[in-house]
Amino acid sequence: SSCRLNTESLQVPGMCPPPEIRKIEPLNGPLEGGTLVTIRGRNLGRRFSDIVNAVRIGNVKCSPLRDRYIVSEEIVCWTGEAAEEFSDVVTVNVSREGRSRERFSYVLPVLKFISPSTGPKAGGTKVTIIGNNLNVGSELRVLVNNTKECEDLSRTDTTITCTMPGVEITTTVRVCVQFENKSCISDNCTFTYEKNPVITSITPQKSQVSGGRIITVEGTGFLMAQSVSMVVHAIGKEQTNCKVHTDTVITCPSPAASNLTVGSKPAPVDFYINGRLYAEDSLFPLEHPEEAIHISQFHLEYYADPQFFTAKKEKWIKHHPGEPLTLVIHKEPDNLGLESNEYEVKIGLISCEIQIVSDKVIHCSVNESFSTSESQLPVTIQVGKFIQTIAMLHLGGIEMAITVSTVVCSILLLVSIVALFVFCTKSRRAERYWQKTLLQMEEMESQIREEIRKGFAELQTDMTDLTKELNRSQGIPFLEYKYFVTRTFFPKCSSLYEERYVLPSQHLNSQMGSQIQETHPLLLGEWKIPENCRPNMEEGIALFSTLLNNKHFLIVFVHGLEQQKDFAVRDRCNLASLLTIALHGKLEYYTSIMKDLLVDLIDASASKNPKLMLRRTESVVEKMLTNWMSICMYSFLRETVGEPFFLLLCAIKQQINKGSIDAITGKARYTLNEEWLLRENIEAKPRNLNVSFQGCGMDSLSVRVMDTDTLSQVKEKILEAFCKNIPYSQWPRVEDVDLEWFATSTDSYILRDLDDTSVMEDGRKKLNTLAHYKIPDGASLAMSLTDKKDTTLSRVKDLDTEKYFHLVLPTDELNENKKSHRQSHRKKVLPEIYLTRLLSTKGTLQKFLDDLFKAILSIREDKPPVAIKYFFDFLEEQAEKRGISDPDTLHIWKTNSLPLRFWVNILKNPQFVFDIDKTDHIDACLSVIAQAFIDACSISDLQLGKDSPTNKLLYAKEIPEYRKIVQKYYKQIHDMPPLSEQEMNAHLAEESRKCRNEFNTNVAMTEIYKYAKRYRSQIVNALDSNPTTRRMQLQHKFEQVIALMEDNIYECCSEA
């Protein structure tokens, strides 16, 4: 109840601990100052005003920069001028003083001399400036006469290396080094520009196509040349490096020639001296040779490679060891005028000494012995890079030849005796086998005739039945746009087909009546982060979003990540899709970024093989293009292509189900894919079953099945009949239902694939079928949801083929002779006979496939494909800028952009568009259809023959017609009126508006940030190396994002 004086010191709230300096860089600078020093640590002030006059190096003030200051973490300041050299610590005084462990040194750079001190006036001479303390400061320039800069700078503490610029006249110039844009230090360093080297002649002026002939270049002033190279225009494959011998002689190997035709004119030859193009009295810079009108002074004429052969044109030359060897080599006439020193003849690795050379004959001899274990040695002659093997030298003796002859004669005699005996034996049996062979041929012919007749009859009747079945009114189960996007962008992560296997079993009414939603994190929902970290992370994501909306940052960011070796293709595709989600609301900006990245990709591809561009998805921009096409083509896909595509899928499924399907191997009687063809004549009869589904509220239905179907296959067909108007994700699973057969009014049986009644055959258990249970046509069955899931049987296709089988035993062909008499009644025909079923299936589906291809390659007048027109025009513009006039290249670019990148992906993955079940067999058929579509869009000729795969042969007749449709489609796109940027931006804005608020961009930003965090230092270096981003201080803003997201300043939680 009384007050007293507290003598203890009160803790002042808000007082910071003393500054802690962890790192300073650089550690030295010139006496004149001006060096940007970066100080990193913690507690470096709470605001810029705290540190305005608080930074010193010894007694010299360092002035902080406001725009480079990062609160508490980093100070960047300009060093002041020092009177003399010294070294001291850096101090920061913010109410309390902090000192660095490292010391900053003021040093005086000293220049000693420059080497070489002379060079041609055209420039290009690489010089080295020797001195001390040359690696100080942050900025460096080497000036020539205070006007021009020495380029390609690199430096160490004692050297500076750079490339001298060119001048107009011969003169001596002053070379000085400028540190931190202060005064320029020279110390009497001078460089003398001399007259340019002069080339007077080249000999010889002819070369063989393979190249490698030594061309002698004569002239003056060559000792000033640090590097010389020769280029043969139009037909030369590569630039070759020359060698300087004296001040007047240079030798250069001729490059190999390409595109050489008979009667070609002499090709112009140019030389590059110190990287500058030589042209009489001047040298033009290598970087811009087109700025001056240049005519090559020298020419080189190419002829076919010389051809050599032995005296008698024999390919084998016998030689006995110990005897002298002289070779006479004949040469066909040519115009090369080769000298004797240009030939080199070798036998194996031993040189053959050339003695006589004329226009037609070469004599050479070998004096040393052939010490080798090999019995054969190649005889080769080389001229430049051309090497020809003209014969093989056989080393052996007379004794070996006699021995070999004796052995051969003995073997021939023995073979003749055996052959005579066999012939006599076969002759006696021939008559007996002849009659049996005739009977087998007649039986095979009858079986072939019967199989083809059945296939033809099915081909005529299937179209009518299938069209009637598909014309029933049933809705097309399109996926919503957001699910289409997540499946297309992230095919491995988002699939209703996968989701349904982790959902708990529900009552049938709820399964068939409610929409099951995907749970992909990118779909709109709550951003789940710890509440105590939410403010900082929201601010960090907002700042990161601002950076991603800066074109310079985003392009450097993408290129910086792609340069990392461990940034795999999967990471690149994932980043591209995340960027598409994050920028979905700004498709105009997204499109401009994509175009800029594509320009970089085109530049990289144009220098290699431009026809390979966009063929694969190996970069971020290629996946971005795929996503852009998916967004722009979705409306056309749903409104125009969706119906014929869905009808084709239904037709494929129904055609497959009309025949037997092996549940274990997946092979079927009817298919488009040879690998999935059931090459057996399985007798199967249709069964019409009356099925009721308890609990679904529907009347009983008549379901058509095959008596060879397993019980799982029967359940699937029953579920399809009852649920055909319901999306597949809402169907019950086969494992969740029981099938009961009422054999009589009192007896009923639960039907299963495996039970105690299953039979064994050749050591394998056969799956139960309707024929096994002897269920008659018109039988009554009941299906109901089971309360207890049958866990005794996994998915049928995953069963061990060594223990189970369905229709065909896997070892039938291997154990043909071991089969029991009970199996021997099965008909045996050639498996290739059943390939006619591929044609039957193709003919049944042809109308549906034609309708689909025509829909894909159609142009609606009310809704023209503006995005395709815009992008194709962009490709044509880029090709024109790079001088690419080959129409095949443009056709390939367009095909790789749209058909290959978008349509083939959709054709092979219908589950991206519809809520359906894509079985392995449907996937195999779609692969054949997709291959036909790719061949239709290709321009290469199909080289088909009897050994070609059936997947190629199946649609070989239709491919030429499809190609005409593709070419017409491309021409119609080309003839459309061009779009302005405003029109395209309006279209993209409308697409963005349609799907606003569909995706959680914060989650996408967070996933992109994970890549930014993983490669933080590499991205900072990339931003710092780019002049534009460095000028905009984007690397510091990026560091602020890291600080906010990682909470280094406030340390509020560890979860962030």
Side-chain angles (χ1 to χ4, degrees), residues 626-673:
T626 302
N627 298 342
W628 187 83
M629 284 291 181
S630 301
I631 295 171
C632 295
M633 296 299 292
Y634 176 74
S635 297
F636 179 77
L637 171 63
R638 181 158 183 153
E639 296 169 6
T640 304
V641 181
E643 181 176 349
F645 189 21
F646 185 69
L647 288 177
L648 175 63
L649 294 172
C650 294
I652 293 174
K653 188 169 186 179
Q654 183 158 335
Q655 181 66 9
I656 293 172
N657 287 339
K658 290 192 70 173
S660 300
I661 306 173
D662 193 300
I664 296 211
T665 64
K667 295 186 176 182
R669 178 184 179 90
Y670 298 108
T671 181
L672 292 174
N673 196 314

Short mmCIF file of all heavy atoms in Angstrom, two decimals, residues 626-673:
data_model
loop_
_atom_site.label_atom_id
_atom_site.label_comp_id
_atom_site.label_asym_id
_atom_site.label_seq_id
_atom_site.Cartn_x
_atom_site.Cartn_y
_atom_site.Cartn_z
N THR A 626 1.72 -24.87 -74.99
CA THR A 626 0.70 -25.91 -74.90
C THR A 626 -0.48 -25.43 -74.07
O THR A 626 -1.64 -25.60 -74.45
CB THR A 626 1.31 -27.17 -74.26
OG1 THR A 626 2.42 -27.61 -75.04
CG2 THR A 626 0.29 -28.28 -74.17
N ASN A 627 -0.20 -24.79 -72.92
CA ASN A 627 -1.27 -24.30 -72.06
C ASN A 627 -2.06 -23.18 -72.74
O ASN A 627 -3.28 -23.11 -72.62
CB ASN A 627 -0.69 -23.80 -70.73
CG ASN A 627 -0.01 -24.90 -69.96
OD1 ASN A 627 -0.23 -26.09 -70.22
ND2 ASN A 627 0.83 -24.56 -69.01
N TRP A 628 -1.35 -22.30 -73.45
CA TRP A 628 -2.02 -21.19 -74.16
C TRP A 628 -2.97 -21.74 -75.22
O TRP A 628 -4.10 -21.25 -75.37
CB TRP A 628 -0.94 -20.30 -74.77
CG TRP A 628 -1.46 -19.03 -75.39
CD1 TRP A 628 -1.75 -17.87 -74.76
CD2 TRP A 628 -1.70 -18.80 -76.79
NE1 TRP A 628 -2.16 -16.92 -75.66
CE2 TRP A 628 -2.16 -17.46 -76.92
CE3 TRP A 628 -1.59 -19.58 -77.93
CZ2 TRP A 628 -2.48 -16.90 -78.15
CZ3 TRP A 628 -1.92 -19.02 -79.16
CH2 TRP A 628 -2.35 -17.70 -79.27
N MET A 629 -2.52 -22.76 -75.95
CA MET A 629 -3.38 -23.38 -76.95
C MET A 629 -4.60 -24.02 -76.28
O MET A 629 -5.73 -23.93 -76.78
CB MET A 629 -2.61 -24.45 -77.73
CG MET A 629 -1.64 -23.89 -78.76
SD MET A 629 -2.51 -23.13 -80.15
CE MET A 629 -1.12 -22.64 -81.17
N SER A 630 -4.41 -24.66 -75.11
CA SER A 630 -5.53 -25.29 -74.42
C SER A 630 -6.57 -24.26 -74.00
O SER A 630 -7.77 -24.49 -74.12
CB SER A 630 -5.01 -26.05 -73.19
OG SER A 630 -4.07 -27.04 -73.56
N ILE A 631 -6.11 -23.10 -73.51
CA ILE A 631 -7.05 -22.05 -73.09
C ILE A 631 -7.80 -21.50 -74.30
O ILE A 631 -9.03 -21.36 -74.29
CB ILE A 631 -6.29 -20.92 -72.37
CG1 ILE A 631 -5.69 -21.45 -71.05
CG2 ILE A 631 -7.20 -19.73 -72.10
CD1 ILE A 631 -4.74 -20.48 -70.38
N CYS A 632 -7.07 -21.19 -75.37
CA CYS A 632 -7.69 -20.53 -76.54
C CYS A 632 -8.58 -21.49 -77.33
O CYS A 632 -9.52 -21.04 -78.00
CB CYS A 632 -6.60 -19.95 -77.45
SG CYS A 632 -5.64 -18.62 -76.70
N MET A 633 -8.29 -22.79 -77.29
CA MET A 633 -9.04 -23.75 -78.11
C MET A 633 -10.15 -24.45 -77.34
O MET A 633 -10.86 -25.28 -77.91
CB MET A 633 -8.07 -24.81 -78.67
CG MET A 633 -7.02 -24.28 -79.62
SD MET A 633 -7.73 -23.53 -81.09
CE MET A 633 -8.42 -24.97 -81.90
N TYR A 634 -10.34 -24.13 -76.03
CA TYR A 634 -11.32 -24.87 -75.24
C TYR A 634 -12.74 -24.68 -75.78
O TYR A 634 -13.50 -25.66 -75.91
CB TYR A 634 -11.26 -24.43 -73.77
CG TYR A 634 -12.32 -25.10 -72.92
CD1 TYR A 634 -12.20 -26.43 -72.57
CD2 TYR A 634 -13.45 -24.40 -72.51
CE1 TYR A 634 -13.18 -27.06 -71.80
CE2 TYR A 634 -14.44 -25.02 -71.75
CZ TYR A 634 -14.30 -26.34 -71.40
OH TYR A 634 -15.26 -26.97 -70.66
N SER A 635 -13.11 -23.45 -76.11
CA SER A 635 -14.47 -23.21 -76.61
C SER A 635 -14.71 -23.98 -77.90
O SER A 635 -15.76 -24.61 -78.08
CB SER A 635 -14.69 -21.70 -76.84
OG SER A 635 -14.58 -20.99 -75.64
N PHE A 636 -13.75 -23.94 -78.82
CA PHE A 636 -13.88 -24.68 -80.09
C PHE A 636 -13.94 -26.18 -79.82
O PHE A 636 -14.73 -26.89 -80.45
CB PHE A 636 -12.69 -24.34 -80.99
CG PHE A 636 -12.70 -25.07 -82.31
CD1 PHE A 636 -13.55 -24.67 -83.33
CD2 PHE A 636 -11.87 -26.16 -82.53
CE1 PHE A 636 -13.57 -25.34 -84.54
CE2 PHE A 636 -11.88 -26.84 -83.74
CZ PHE A 636 -12.74 -26.42 -84.75
N LEU A 637 -13.14 -26.65 -78.87
CA LEU A 637 -13.13 -28.07 -78.53
C LEU A 637 -14.50 -28.51 -78.01
O LEU A 637 -15.03 -29.55 -78.40
CB LEU A 637 -12.05 -28.34 -77.47
CG LEU A 637 -12.01 -29.73 -76.83
CD1 LEU A 637 -11.72 -30.78 -77.87
CD2 LEU A 637 -10.95 -29.78 -75.73
N ARG A 638 -15.11 -27.71 -77.17
CA ARG A 638 -16.38 -28.09 -76.56
C ARG A 638 -17.55 -27.93 -77.54
O ARG A 638 -18.44 -28.78 -77.60
CB ARG A 638 -16.62 -27.25 -75.32
CG ARG A 638 -17.93 -27.59 -74.60
CD ARG A 638 -17.91 -27.19 -73.17
NE ARG A 638 -19.12 -27.59 -72.48
CZ ARG A 638 -19.20 -27.84 -71.19
NH1 ARG A 638 -18.12 -27.75 -70.46
NH2 ARG A 638 -20.34 -28.19 -70.62
N GLU A 639 -17.55 -26.86 -78.32
CA GLU A 639 -18.71 -26.56 -79.16
C GLU A 639 -18.68 -27.31 -80.49
O GLU A 639 -19.74 -27.62 -81.04
CB GLU A 639 -18.77 -25.05 -79.43
CG GLU A 639 -19.00 -24.22 -78.17
CD GLU A 639 -18.78 -22.73 -78.42
OE1 GLU A 639 -18.58 -22.36 -79.60
OE2 GLU A 639 -18.82 -21.95 -77.45
N THR A 640 -17.50 -27.60 -81.03
CA THR A 640 -17.41 -28.17 -82.38
C THR A 640 -16.88 -29.59 -82.39
O THR A 640 -17.42 -30.46 -83.07
CB THR A 640 -16.51 -27.27 -83.26
OG1 THR A 640 -17.02 -25.93 -83.24
CG2 THR A 640 -16.49 -27.78 -84.70
N VAL A 641 -15.81 -29.86 -81.64
CA VAL A 641 -15.13 -31.15 -81.71
C VAL A 641 -15.67 -32.15 -80.68
O VAL A 641 -15.57 -33.36 -80.87
CB VAL A 641 -13.60 -30.95 -81.52
CG1 VAL A 641 -12.85 -32.27 -81.60
CG2 VAL A 641 -13.07 -29.98 -82.56
N GLY A 642 -16.27 -31.65 -79.60
CA GLY A 642 -16.67 -32.52 -78.50
C GLY A 642 -17.60 -33.64 -78.92
O GLY A 642 -17.38 -34.81 -78.58
N GLU A 643 -18.65 -33.32 -79.68
CA GLU A 643 -19.64 -34.34 -80.04
C GLU A 643 -19.06 -35.43 -80.94
O GLU A 643 -19.18 -36.63 -80.61
CB GLU A 643 -20.86 -33.69 -80.70
CG GLU A 643 -21.93 -34.69 -81.07
CD GLU A 643 -23.17 -34.02 -81.63
OE1 GLU A 643 -23.28 -32.78 -81.55
OE2 GLU A 643 -24.03 -34.75 -82.17
N PRO A 644 -18.39 -35.11 -82.06
CA PRO A 644 -17.82 -36.22 -82.87
C PRO A 644 -16.74 -37.00 -82.15
O PRO A 644 -16.60 -38.20 -82.37
CB PRO A 644 -17.26 -35.49 -84.11
CG PRO A 644 -17.14 -34.07 -83.73
CD PRO A 644 -18.23 -33.81 -82.72
N PHE A 645 -16.00 -36.36 -81.25
CA PHE A 645 -14.98 -37.06 -80.48
C PHE A 645 -15.64 -38.06 -79.53
O PHE A 645 -15.22 -39.22 -79.42
CB PHE A 645 -14.12 -36.06 -79.72
CG PHE A 645 -12.90 -36.64 -79.06
CD1 PHE A 645 -12.36 -37.85 -79.49
CD2 PHE A 645 -12.28 -35.99 -78.00
CE1 PHE A 645 -11.24 -38.39 -78.89
CE2 PHE A 645 -11.15 -36.53 -77.40
CZ PHE A 645 -10.64 -37.74 -77.85
N PHE A 646 -16.70 -37.63 -78.84
CA PHE A 646 -17.38 -38.51 -77.90
C PHE A 646 -18.05 -39.68 -78.64
O PHE A 646 -18.04 -40.82 -78.16
CB PHE A 646 -18.42 -37.73 -77.10
CG PHE A 646 -19.10 -38.54 -76.03
CD1 PHE A 646 -18.40 -38.97 -74.92
CD2 PHE A 646 -20.43 -38.89 -76.14
CE1 PHE A 646 -19.02 -39.73 -73.93
CE2 PHE A 646 -21.06 -39.65 -75.17
CZ PHE A 646 -20.35 -40.07 -74.05
N LEU A 647 -18.64 -39.40 -79.81
CA LEU A 647 -19.25 -40.48 -80.59
C LEU A 647 -18.21 -41.51 -81.03
O LEU A 647 -18.47 -42.72 -81.03
CB LEU A 647 -19.97 -39.89 -81.81
CG LEU A 647 -21.27 -39.13 -81.53
CD1 LEU A 647 -21.83 -38.55 -82.82
CD2 LEU A 647 -22.30 -40.03 -80.87
N LEU A 648 -17.01 -41.04 -81.40
CA LEU A 648 -15.94 -41.97 -81.77
C LEU A 648 -15.55 -42.85 -80.59
O LEU A 648 -15.36 -44.06 -80.74
CB LEU A 648 -14.73 -41.20 -82.29
CG LEU A 648 -13.48 -42.04 -82.60
CD1 LEU A 648 -13.77 -43.02 -83.73
CD2 LEU A 648 -12.29 -41.16 -82.94
N LEU A 649 -15.44 -42.26 -79.38
CA LEU A 649 -15.09 -43.05 -78.20
C LEU A 649 -16.16 -44.10 -77.91
O LEU A 649 -15.84 -45.26 -77.60
CB LEU A 649 -14.92 -42.12 -76.99
CG LEU A 649 -13.75 -41.13 -77.05
CD1 LEU A 649 -13.82 -40.15 -75.89
CD2 LEU A 649 -12.42 -41.86 -77.03
N CYS A 650 -17.43 -43.71 -78.01
CA CYS A 650 -18.51 -44.68 -77.78
C CYS A 650 -18.46 -45.79 -78.83
O CYS A 650 -18.68 -46.97 -78.52
CB CYS A 650 -19.87 -43.97 -77.83
SG CYS A 650 -20.13 -42.81 -76.48
N ALA A 651 -18.17 -45.41 -80.09
CA ALA A 651 -18.10 -46.41 -81.15
C ALA A 651 -16.97 -47.40 -80.91
O ALA A 651 -17.12 -48.61 -81.10
CB ALA A 651 -17.92 -45.71 -82.50
N ILE A 652 -15.81 -46.89 -80.49
CA ILE A 652 -14.67 -47.78 -80.20
C ILE A 652 -15.03 -48.76 -79.08
O ILE A 652 -14.79 -49.97 -79.18
CB ILE A 652 -13.42 -46.95 -79.82
CG1 ILE A 652 -12.92 -46.15 -81.02
CG2 ILE A 652 -12.31 -47.85 -79.29
CD1 ILE A 652 -11.80 -45.19 -80.69
N LYS A 653 -15.62 -48.22 -78.00
CA LYS A 653 -15.93 -49.07 -76.86
C LYS A 653 -16.96 -50.13 -77.24
O LYS A 653 -16.82 -51.31 -76.88
CB LYS A 653 -16.45 -48.21 -75.71
CG LYS A 653 -16.62 -48.98 -74.41
CD LYS A 653 -16.86 -48.05 -73.25
CE LYS A 653 -16.88 -48.82 -71.93
NZ LYS A 653 -17.10 -47.92 -70.78
N GLN A 654 -18.00 -49.75 -77.98
CA GLN A 654 -19.03 -50.71 -78.34
C GLN A 654 -18.49 -51.77 -79.31
O GLN A 654 -18.82 -52.94 -79.21
CB GLN A 654 -20.23 -50.00 -78.97
CG GLN A 654 -21.36 -50.94 -79.30
CD GLN A 654 -22.67 -50.22 -79.42
OE1 GLN A 654 -22.86 -49.18 -78.84
NE2 GLN A 654 -23.58 -50.79 -80.17
N GLN A 655 -17.63 -51.34 -80.24
CA GLN A 655 -17.06 -52.30 -81.19
C GLN A 655 -16.17 -53.31 -80.47
O GLN A 655 -16.19 -54.50 -80.77
CB GLN A 655 -16.27 -51.57 -82.28
CG GLN A 655 -15.65 -52.46 -83.33
CD GLN A 655 -16.69 -53.16 -84.20
OE1 GLN A 655 -17.87 -52.86 -84.12
NE2 GLN A 655 -16.25 -54.10 -85.01
N ILE A 656 -15.40 -52.85 -79.49
CA ILE A 656 -14.55 -53.77 -78.72
C ILE A 656 -15.41 -54.75 -77.94
O ILE A 656 -15.12 -55.95 -77.88
CB ILE A 656 -13.64 -52.96 -77.77
CG1 ILE A 656 -12.61 -52.15 -78.56
CG2 ILE A 656 -12.92 -53.88 -76.79
CD1 ILE A 656 -11.81 -51.19 -77.72
N ASN A 657 -16.49 -54.25 -77.33
CA ASN A 657 -17.34 -55.11 -76.50
C ASN A 657 -18.15 -56.10 -77.31
O ASN A 657 -18.74 -57.03 -76.75
CB ASN A 657 -18.29 -54.24 -75.67
CG ASN A 657 -17.57 -53.52 -74.55
OD1 ASN A 657 -16.48 -53.93 -74.14
ND2 ASN A 657 -18.15 -52.44 -74.05
N LYS A 658 -18.21 -55.97 -78.63
CA LYS A 658 -18.98 -56.91 -79.45
C LYS A 658 -18.27 -58.25 -79.60
O LYS A 658 -18.87 -59.22 -80.09
CB LYS A 658 -19.26 -56.32 -80.83
CG LYS A 658 -20.25 -55.17 -80.80
CD LYS A 658 -20.73 -54.79 -82.18
CE LYS A 658 -21.63 -55.85 -82.76
NZ LYS A 658 -22.24 -55.43 -84.04
N GLY A 659 -17.02 -58.31 -79.23
CA GLY A 659 -16.27 -59.56 -79.32
C GLY A 659 -15.66 -59.93 -77.99
O GLY A 659 -15.82 -59.23 -76.98
N SER A 660 -14.94 -61.03 -77.97
CA SER A 660 -14.31 -61.50 -76.73
C SER A 660 -13.12 -60.61 -76.38
O SER A 660 -12.38 -60.15 -77.26
CB SER A 660 -13.85 -62.95 -76.90
OG SER A 660 -14.94 -63.79 -77.20
N ILE A 661 -12.92 -60.41 -75.08
CA ILE A 661 -11.78 -59.65 -74.56
C ILE A 661 -11.14 -60.48 -73.46
O ILE A 661 -11.81 -60.88 -72.51
CB ILE A 661 -12.22 -58.28 -74.00
CG1 ILE A 661 -13.02 -57.49 -75.03
CG2 ILE A 661 -11.01 -57.48 -73.53
CD1 ILE A 661 -13.62 -56.21 -74.48
N ASP A 662 -9.86 -60.75 -73.58
CA ASP A 662 -9.14 -61.48 -72.55
C ASP A 662 -8.92 -60.55 -71.36
O ASP A 662 -8.24 -59.53 -71.47
CB ASP A 662 -7.81 -62.01 -73.08
CG ASP A 662 -7.20 -63.03 -72.14
OD1 ASP A 662 -6.94 -62.68 -70.98
OD2 ASP A 662 -6.98 -64.18 -72.57
N ALA A 663 -9.51 -60.88 -70.21
CA ALA A 663 -9.47 -59.98 -69.06
C ALA A 663 -8.08 -59.82 -68.48
O ALA A 663 -7.79 -58.82 -67.83
CB ALA A 663 -10.43 -60.49 -67.98
N ILE A 664 -7.20 -60.80 -68.71
CA ILE A 664 -5.86 -60.73 -68.10
C ILE A 664 -4.87 -60.05 -69.04
O ILE A 664 -4.15 -59.14 -68.65
CB ILE A 664 -5.38 -62.15 -67.74
CG1 ILE A 664 -6.32 -62.71 -66.68
CG2 ILE A 664 -3.93 -62.15 -67.33
CD1 ILE A 664 -5.75 -63.65 -65.71
N THR A 665 -4.82 -60.47 -70.29
CA THR A 665 -3.88 -59.87 -71.24
C THR A 665 -4.42 -58.59 -71.87
O THR A 665 -3.65 -57.79 -72.39
CB THR A 665 -3.54 -60.86 -72.37
OG1 THR A 665 -4.74 -61.13 -73.13
CG2 THR A 665 -3.00 -62.16 -71.81
N GLY A 666 -5.75 -58.38 -71.83
CA GLY A 666 -6.35 -57.19 -72.44
C GLY A 666 -6.56 -57.31 -73.93
O GLY A 666 -7.11 -56.40 -74.55
N LYS A 667 -6.13 -58.40 -74.55
CA LYS A 667 -6.26 -58.54 -75.99
C LYS A 667 -7.71 -58.83 -76.36
O LYS A 667 -8.42 -59.55 -75.66
CB LYS A 667 -5.35 -59.64 -76.51
CG LYS A 667 -3.87 -59.31 -76.32
CD LYS A 667 -2.96 -60.34 -76.96
CE LYS A 667 -1.49 -59.93 -76.82
NZ LYS A 667 -0.59 -60.87 -77.48
N ALA A 668 -8.16 -58.25 -77.51
CA ALA A 668 -9.57 -58.33 -77.89
C ALA A 668 -9.70 -58.77 -79.34
O ALA A 668 -8.78 -58.64 -80.15
CB ALA A 668 -10.25 -56.99 -77.68
N ARG A 669 -10.90 -59.30 -79.67
CA ARG A 669 -11.19 -59.73 -81.03
C ARG A 669 -11.21 -58.55 -81.98
O ARG A 669 -10.74 -58.63 -83.12
CB ARG A 669 -12.53 -60.47 -81.06
CG ARG A 669 -12.97 -60.93 -82.45
CD ARG A 669 -14.36 -61.56 -82.41
NE ARG A 669 -14.79 -61.98 -83.72
CZ ARG A 669 -14.58 -63.16 -84.27
NH1 ARG A 669 -13.91 -64.07 -83.58
NH2 ARG A 669 -15.03 -63.46 -85.49
N TYR A 670 -11.76 -57.43 -81.54
CA TYR A 670 -11.88 -56.24 -82.38
C TYR A 670 -11.02 -55.12 -81.80
O TYR A 670 -11.17 -54.74 -80.64
CB TYR A 670 -13.34 -55.78 -82.48
CG TYR A 670 -14.23 -56.81 -83.12
CD1 TYR A 670 -15.16 -57.53 -82.36
CD2 TYR A 670 -14.13 -57.09 -84.48
CE1 TYR A 670 -15.97 -58.48 -82.94
CE2 TYR A 670 -14.94 -58.04 -85.07
CZ TYR A 670 -15.85 -58.74 -84.30
OH TYR A 670 -16.64 -59.68 -84.88
N THR A 671 -10.12 -54.59 -82.62
CA THR A 671 -9.23 -53.51 -82.19
C THR A 671 -8.62 -52.86 -83.42
O THR A 671 -8.76 -53.36 -84.55
CB THR A 671 -8.11 -54.05 -81.28
OG1 THR A 671 -7.28 -52.98 -80.85
CG2 THR A 671 -7.25 -55.07 -82.02
N LEU A 672 -7.96 -51.72 -83.21
CA LEU A 672 -7.18 -51.07 -84.27
C LEU A 672 -5.69 -51.30 -84.11
O LEU A 672 -4.92 -50.99 -85.01
CB LEU A 672 -7.46 -49.56 -84.27
CG LEU A 672 -8.85 -49.10 -84.67
CD1 LEU A 672 -8.99 -47.60 -84.47
CD2 LEU A 672 -9.16 -49.47 -86.10
N ASN A 673 -5.29 -51.84 -82.95
CA ASN A 673 -3.88 -51.98 -82.62
C ASN A 673 -3.48 -53.45 -82.68
O ASN A 673 -4.04 -54.29 -81.96
CB ASN A 673 -3.61 -51.41 -81.22
CG ASN A 673 -2.14 -51.17 -80.98
OD1 ASN A 673 -1.32 -52.01 -81.27
ND2 ASN A 673 -1.81 -50.01 -80.44
#
